[in-house]
Amino acid sequence: MIKIVLSIIICSQVANTCLEPHVWPTTFDTQYDCLMYGYEESKNKTIKIGRSDVNKFDVYVKFVCAPLTET
């Protein structure tokens, strides 16, 4: 069974840059499970950053759910 890995990326439109992706330590069994978790964590990160900084720096959170590649 293929495992799915979640990567969350926080970006600023003002700075025109993104932080390094944070790879979630837990993998998921399905794309759906990863997506639902990604949406929830994106919301949590936005709340943690706060209204003031989100608005000041035009912060947005994006995420990717991708098959885990073994190296």
Side-chain angles (χ1 to χ4, degrees):
M1 174 181 247
I2 296 175
K3 292 292 190 176
I4 308 293
V5 66
L6 171 66
S7 297
I8 296 179
I9 306 151
I10 300 173
C11 302
S12 166
Q13 290 183 29
V14 169
N16 195 29
T17 190
C18 296
L19 297 176
E20 287 293 317
H22 172 71
V23 178
W24 214 252
T26 306
T27 58
F28 300 87
D29 292 328
T30 68
Q31 182 76 0
Y32 179 88
D33 291 340
C34 181
L35 287 171
M36 296 306 290
Y37 198 87
Y39 288 123
E40 196 65 37
E41 281 306 307
S42 293
K43 178 182 174 185
N44 291 341
K45 293 289 184 194
T46 302
I47 291 168
K48 187 173 181 178
I49 293 166
R51 181 184 302 268
S52 178
D53 282 344
V54 166
N55 290 329
K56 182 178 179 180
F57 300 108
D58 289 330
V59 171
Y60 62 97
V61 180
K62 59 185 182 176
F63 67 92
V64 176
C65 291
L68 179 64
T69 55
E70 299 293 330
T71 54

